[in-house]
């Protein structure tokens, strides 16, 4: 259902000369979406070889993967949108603003029950999850004619969106711990240990190159701990680092804020335009070959060569080891990066030849231009594309492209 009110068409608005358009609008509706992977209502089986010897020969066997979900149904989303459109000063400024809210139910989650191993197969998911989603979206446009030869235009957009898990199956170990609870937090909130920095040479009071509980009152049970290894916060103050010390360390990898702006100028035959796009309120977790030198037999990046030594105690990376040290590969805030960015996505400069000039050579139009893509990027992340989704950094990066072109119409 949707409704709108063109306020600017009402009689009491006729004398408001600076406002040429004002519209209030709203909508509400429900929609369904496929919950999870298809065919969950069926039993699925996997074949494997050499299951048994029958008649003197090996035969195949099969096993059931998971119980069928005979009650699976749609996710249901209730959506509300309230918006306003306005045009001021005869097009000098146009505004579109929206507030939206969505409540999604029947989301599929694994049930929070445990069955004996003798049950033999995995449990079917249950349509019982619930999540809310709300945000705002604003678009601004401006067009100004300075003279008959000079035109200025600008478009900008801003979107903020945040979700919250209202009901999600999680066991008592996480739900009853306020630091680990997923319910009530945004989807895909990142959890881990809070890194406090490095153990230093001064922490090794025994002088044997090993940090043991006698020297440091908190036990970190992730192998032998040495100076240059990461130190984690004992959140619950029980003098041991374990699952009870896990806390929220960052936002989802999906940005909460998207924005962009595009200025353009036209002067006589010249035209010039830029498109900037950006995102923020997002964290990128770096792991595997992106974080650890010599991971899985790989080499090391230039950034990983800034590693801890007694002479370099404030390095970006822990001490260097032939293979990643178990203590330093724990999921922690140390490897979480701010993935905000602003990128000059495209830029173009062109010139359109005057009509009277090209008619002499039997052409209707002619334009020459130079354009570029991914020209500049401003981001805290220096060694990876901030738009990347691969935590191990193994991806093909975006390329900077410069194009020179000529458009002719005969």
């Amino acid at each position: 259902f949707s409704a709108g009110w063109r306020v600017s068409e009402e009689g009491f608005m006729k004398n408001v000369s600076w406002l040429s358009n004002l519209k209030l609008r709203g909508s509400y509706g429900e929609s369904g979406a496929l919950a999870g992977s298809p065919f969950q209502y069926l039993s699925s089986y996997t074949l494997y070889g050499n299951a048994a010897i029958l008649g003197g020969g090996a035969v195949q066997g099969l096993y059931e993967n998971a119980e069928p979900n005979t009650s699976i149904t749609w996710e249901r989303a209730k959506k509300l949108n309230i918006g306003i459109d306005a045009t001021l000063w005869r097009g000098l400024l146009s505004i579109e603003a929206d507030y939206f809210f969505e409540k999604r139910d029947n989301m599929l989650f694994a049930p929070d029950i445990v069955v004996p191993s003798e049950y033999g197969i995995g449990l079917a998911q249950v349509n019982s999850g619930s999540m809310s989603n709300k945000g705002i979206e604003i678009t601004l446009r401006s067009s100004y004619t300075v003279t008959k030869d000079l035109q200025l235009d600008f478009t900008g957009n801003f979107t903020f969106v945040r979700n919250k898990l209202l009901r999600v199956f999680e066991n008592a170990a996480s739900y009853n711990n306020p630091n680990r609870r997923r319910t009530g937090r945004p989807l895909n909130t990142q959890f881990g240990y809070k890194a406090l920095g490095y153990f230093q040479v001064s922490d090794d009071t025994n002088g044997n190159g090993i940090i043991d509980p006698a020297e440091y009152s908190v036990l970190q049970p992730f192998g032998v701990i040495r100076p240059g290894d990461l130190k984690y916060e004992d959140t619950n103050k029980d003098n041991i680092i374990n699952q009870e010390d896990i806390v929220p360390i960052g936002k989802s990898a999906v940005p909460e804020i998207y924005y962009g702006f595009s200025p353009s100028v036209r002067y006589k035959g010249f035209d010039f335009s830029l498109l900037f796009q950006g995102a923020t309120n997002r964290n990128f977790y770096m792991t595997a070959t992106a974080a650890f030198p010599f991971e899985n037999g790989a080499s090391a990046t230039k950034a990983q060569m800034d590693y801890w030594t007694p002479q370099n105690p404030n390095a970006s990376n822990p001490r260097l080891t032939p293979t990643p040290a178990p203590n330093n590969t724990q999921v922690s805030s140390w490897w979480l990066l701010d993935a905000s960015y602003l990128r000059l996505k495209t830029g173009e400069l062109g010139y359109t030849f005057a009509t009277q000039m090209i008619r002499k050579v039997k052409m209707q139009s002619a334009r020459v231009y130079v354009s570029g893509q991914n020209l500049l990027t401003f981001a805290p992340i220096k060694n990876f594309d901030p738009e990347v989704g691969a935590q191990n950094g193994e991806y093909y990066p975006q390329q900077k492209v410069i194009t020179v072109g000529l458009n002719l119409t005969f």
Side-chain angles (χ1 to χ4, degrees):
F1 303 90
S2 63
W5 179 24
R6 287 288 300 277
V7 182
S8 55
E9 297 299 308
E10 301 293 342
F12 60 82
M13 296 293 293
K14 295 301 181 182
N15 294 327
V16 184
S17 59
W18 54 271
L19 185 65
S20 54
N21 176 54
L22 177 62
K23 180 180 180 180
L24 305 178
R25 49 185 168 75
S27 62
Y28 174 83
E30 291 191 31
S31 64
L34 178 66
S37 58
F39 308 114
Q40 290 194 40
Y41 64 94
L42 297 173
S43 294
S44 63
Y45 296 86
T46 296
L47 290 169
Y48 64 99
N50 300 328
I53 303 297
L54 297 177
V59 297
Q60 284 187 317
L62 59 82
Y63 59 86
E64 191 174 9
N65 296 311
E67 63 182 11
N69 188 348
T70 57
S71 301
I72 191 172
T73 186
W74 296 94
E75 288 184 358
R76 298 177 66 91
K78 300 177 181 179
K79 302 171 182 285
L80 171 69
N81 188 92
I82 299 172
I84 181 173
D85 300 330
T87 304
L88 292 73
W89 304 296
R90 298 183 178 180
L92 182 62
L93 178 63
S94 297
I95 303 172
E96 295 179 15
D98 290 87
Y99 167 80
F100 54 88
F101 177 83
E102 176 187 286
K103 172 90 178 317
R104 184 175 293 270
D105 295 303
N106 290 346
M107 297 173 63
L108 276 178
F109 285 97
D112 57 346
I113 59 175
V114 178
V115 295
S117 58
E118 289 82 4
Y119 191 68
I121 57 175
L123 297 177
Q125 293 180 308
V126 182
N127 287 99
S128 296
S130 179
M131 182 173 67
S132 67
N133 193 39
K134 60 183 178 181
I136 59 172
E137 186 172 25
I138 301 172
T139 301
L140 302 177
R141 297 184 179 88
S142 180
S143 181
Y144 181 59
T145 302
V146 181
T147 66
K148 67 176 184 178
D149 294 327
L150 180 60
Q151 175 79 31
L152 305 178
D153 294 281
F154 179 85
T155 300
N157 65 280
F158 174 87
T159 299
F160 171 78
V161 57
R162 175 169 291 172
N163 56 48
K164 180 194 295 185
L165 291 170
L166 304 177
R167 185 169 187 267
V168 55
F169 287 116
E170 56 179 324
N171 56 39
S174 63
Y175 185 83
N176 295 333
N177 185 334
N179 288 327
R180 298 178 59 192
R181 183 179 299 169
R182 269 65 173 170
T183 304
R185 288 194 167 94
L187 180 67
N188 294 327
T189 297
Q190 302 194 62
F191 291 81
Y193 297 117
K194 183 178 180 181
L196 301 176
Y198 300 124
F199 287 101
Q200 301 293 347
V201 173
S202 58
D203 297 315
D204 178 21
T205 56
N206 291 331
N208 61 355
I210 298 176
I211 309 296
D212 57 44
E215 297 175 286
Y216 184 63
S217 59
V218 177
L219 173 64
Q220 292 191 185
F222 311 121
V224 177
I225 310 299
R226 301 181 183 276
D229 284 338
L230 289 173
K231 181 190 302 183
Y232 303 118
E233 182 176 3
D234 181 20
T235 305
N236 63 353
K237 309 302 180 184
D238 64 351
N239 298 326
I240 184 172
I241 303 299
N242 55 27
Q243 295 293 309
E244 297 302 316
D245 298 302
I246 290 177
V247 296
I249 58 174
K251 301 178 177 66
S252 167
V254 178
E256 288 186 328
I257 294 177
Y258 299 88
Y259 63 96
F261 52 94
S262 178
S264 63
V265 179
R266 290 183 179 273
Y267 179 71
K268 294 185 177 180
F270 291 95
D271 60 272
F272 178 65
S273 62
L274 300 172
L275 172 60
F276 290 88
Q277 69 172 43
T280 186
N281 276 27
R282 172 194 180 225
N283 287 126
F284 172 73
Y285 192 81
M286 187 170 60
T287 187
T289 51
F292 313 124
F294 316 128
E295 166 77 11
N296 195 27
S299 183
T301 65
K302 181 178 179 180
Q304 291 166 354
M305 290 297 97
D306 179 24
Y307 56 87
W308 182 95
T309 66
Q311 296 74 33
N312 188 24
N314 299 313
S316 302
N317 299 279
R319 64 186 177 93
L320 194 64
T321 54
T323 58
N327 178 81
N328 300 330
T329 59
Q330 301 299 310
V331 178
S332 76
S333 58
W334 192 263
W335 306 110
L336 202 68
L337 305 178
D338 180 358
S340 303
Y341 73 92
L342 173 63
R343 170 168 283 159
L344 176 53
K345 191 66 178 178
T346 61
E348 184 168 304
L349 173 65
Y351 180 77
T352 302
F353 292 90
T355 304
Q356 59 270 25
M357 182 186 304
I358 61 176
R359 281 179 178 173
K360 298 177 182 179
V361 290
K362 309 299 182 182
M363 287 191 297
Q364 293 181 354
S365 64
R367 181 175 180 268
V368 62
Y369 67 91
V370 57
S371 65
Q373 296 179 330
N374 304 317
L375 298 173
L376 294 171
T377 300
F378 307 94
I381 296 178
K382 299 303 179 185
N383 300 305
F384 300 94
D385 187 335
E387 292 187 82
V388 67
Q391 293 182 335
N392 60 9
E394 296 177 7
Y395 66 98
Y396 196 79
Q398 299 214 36
Q399 293 185 331
K400 181 185 296 185
V401 180
I402 305 294
T403 303
V404 177
L406 176 66
N407 295 332
L408 301 176
T409 302
F410 294 91

